[in-house]
Amino acid sequence: MLTLRQIEVIRAIMITGTISGAAKLLNVSAPGISRLMKHTERTLRLKLFERRHGRYVPTPEANDIFEQINGVYKKVDDLHYTLARIERGGGIELRIGSVPSICHVMVPRAIERLRRKHPDLRLDINILKIEEALDYLLLGKGEIAAMSYKLDHPGIDFVPLSQGELLCIVPDGHELAGRQSISAAEIVQHPLIGIDPNDPYGRVMAEIFKQQGLAYDMVIKARFGTTVCSLVRAGLGIAVIDQFTVAHGSMQGITTIPIAEPTRFQTYVAVKNDKAPSLYAETFVALLREEMNAVVTPRAQLAAQSSLPKITSG
C-alpha cells in the first residue's frame, strides 16, 4: 500500500523531474526524498523512474500508477475548490427573517460583516411580524428568524440572542429633550404614540406601565417601531421604543431618554428544531449578537448572561 506521503513524493518527482526539484516543491531535504523513493520502489517491487541525463523519467511499467496518482490529485483539487466555494458562499442562499425592530439597524450591520466573510453568499431577508415567523420557519421559507418575543411551539426552538432596554423618544427640541432620565409616570403625562399592547412587540413596551399600575393610553397607534419614530419626529407625541430600532443614530430628528424603571427585555433567534443550522446561519447569529450587545446600555450588559448558546436543532 502507498501512503499519502509516498504518493505526494512520487507526484513531485513526476512534476519536477529531479530529486532536488521535488524536495524544493515539498519543502523538505533532497536526501529524505531520495530515501523515501528507494523505500517505495522496494516496497512495490517496481522501478518507478529511470535516470536519464540527470532527470528522473517514469518507466513504462509505472504509467498506470501515475495515471491513478493524477486522478487522486484531481479529486483533491476538486475538494479544495469545493471547500473554497463553501467558504466564499458560492451557490448558496441564506434566507433569514427578522422582526422590524431588529431588522432596521442591527441586521444590516451583521449582514455587512457576514458578506465580508462569505463574499459570494446570496441572501434573502424578510421582515416579519412575530405571528408570521412560525409559518416562515415551519414551511421552510427561511432558516432562522430574529425575534423580540418568545412563543411556545413544539417545532421551534428559541435561542437567547441579546438583552436590550427601552427608551423614551421625543422630538428634537421637545421640553423633555434635555432630561437625563424619565419615569413611566412622567411619560404618561404626555400624548403617547405606540404599538397596540395586544401585539407581542407592543406588549414589551406596555409592560413598564402595567408594572407601575399606569394607563398606557395612546393617541396614535402604529404597526412598526420605525413608523412610531417618524410620528414622534413629526411632533405628534412621545413614545417608548426599543433601543435597537434607534441605535447608531438611525432615526434623525428624535432624542432618546433613558427610562428610570428597569425595562430589560430579551430577544431571540427562532429556528426549526428538526434541522441543523448552516454554517452561514451560525455565523450570522454570532455577528448579530455581537452587534446588538455592542449597543446595549451598561445596566443591561450587567444583567445579561455571560455566555449564550449557539443555535442548534432539537
Side-chain angles (χ1 to χ4, degrees):
M1 296 292 291
L2 288 174
T3 66
L4 289 176
R5 185 57 174 171
Q6 288 172 316
I7 291 173
E8 189 176 38
V9 167
I10 293 170
R11 186 170 184 270
I13 297 174
M14 289 168 52
I15 292 172
T16 63
T18 65
I19 293 294
S20 60
K24 186 175 181 180
L25 183 64
L26 298 177
N27 197 28
V28 296
S29 69
I33 291 289
S34 181
R35 285 193 298 270
L36 183 59
M37 193 65 251
K38 291 176 181 178
H39 172 73
T40 301
E41 290 183 325
R42 286 197 303 270
T43 302
L44 295 176
R45 299 178 183 177
L46 178 67
K47 191 172 182 62
L48 298 176
F49 295 96
E50 290 182 354
R51 190 168 183 178
R52 296 179 185 174
H53 308 294
R55 296 187 63 82
Y56 282 75
V57 179
T59 63
E61 295 82 6
N63 282 336
D64 287 346
I65 294 175
F66 296 148
E67 287 181 11
Q68 293 296 324
I69 288 176
N70 282 331
V72 169
Y73 268 81
K74 175 63 169 61
K75 292 295 184 181
V76 171
D77 288 342
D78 290 345
L79 176 59
H80 288 164
Y81 173 80
T82 299
L83 291 172
R85 180 178 59 80
I86 291 172
E87 175 63 23
R88 293 182 62 85
I92 304 295
E93 181 179 69
L94 175 62
R95 293 174 293 164
I96 60 177
S98 173
V99 293
S101 58
I102 299 175
C103 198
H104 177 59
V105 179
M106 297 291 101
V107 167
R109 293 176 69 90
I111 290 295
E112 189 275 331
R113 294 174 62 189
L114 181 68
R115 287 274 295 171
R116 274 190 271 141
K117 285 178 172 288
H118 308 292
D120 294 338
L121 180 66
R122 295 179 180 271
L123 293 115
D124 184 325
I125 304 168
N126 280 270
I127 299 178
L128 308 170
K129 291 290 287 179
I130 291 176
E131 60 272 18
E132 297 169 342
L134 294 180
D135 281 349
Y136 179 75
L137 296 172
L138 293 172
L139 297 178
K141 296 178 181 179
E143 187 172 352
I144 56 174
M147 308 282 283
S148 57
Y149 196 80
K150 181 179 180 180
L151 304 172
D152 289 326
H153 193 283
I156 304 292
D157 286 339
F158 287 83
V159 179
L161 181 58
S162 178
Q163 285 192 357
E165 290 191 331
L166 304 178
L167 299 169
C168 177
I169 57 172
V170 303
D172 287 350
H174 191 275
E175 61 182 286
L176 297 173
R179 294 284 297 271
Q180 297 300 307
S181 68
I182 188 170
S183 67
E186 292 173 303
I187 293 173
V188 297
Q189 294 175 17
H190 297 264
L192 294 179
I193 302 169
I195 297 170
D196 193 330
N198 292 318
D199 180 288
Y201 176 58
R203 201 174 303 142
V204 173
M205 318 306 173
E207 187 63 25
I208 62 168
F209 302 106
K210 180 181 178 181
Q211 290 177 353
Q212 302 299 316
L214 300 169
Y216 186 29
D217 185 18
M218 289 169 283
V219 296
I220 302 177
K221 293 179 184 177
R223 184 171 183 182
F224 299 115
T226 50
T227 307
V228 170
C229 292
S230 296
L231 293 167
V232 169
R233 182 172 53 218
L236 298 172
I238 70 172
V240 172
I241 202 74
D242 71 281
Q243 66 183 147
F244 302 120
T245 295
V246 296
H248 300 290
S250 62
M251 289 293 181
Q252 300 297 312
I254 62 173
T255 298
T256 61
I257 308 170
I259 298 174
E261 291 84 3
T263 62
R264 288 188 300 275
F265 66 96
Q266 180 71 56
T267 61
Y268 300 88
V269 171
V271 58
K272 195 176 178 185
N273 59 21
D274 64 351
K275 184 179 180 182
S278 67
L279 160 71
Y280 312 105
E282 288 276 14
T283 303
F284 170 74
V285 170
L287 294 173
L288 181 60
R289 182 176 288 133
E290 288 178 10
E291 289 293 335
M292 295 176 73
N293 286 342
V295 301
V296 299
T297 64
R299 183 170 61 174
Q301 285 178 334
L302 289 173
Q305 298 175 358
S306 59
S307 61
L308 292 169
K310 290 184 177 181
I311 54 174
T312 57
S313 60

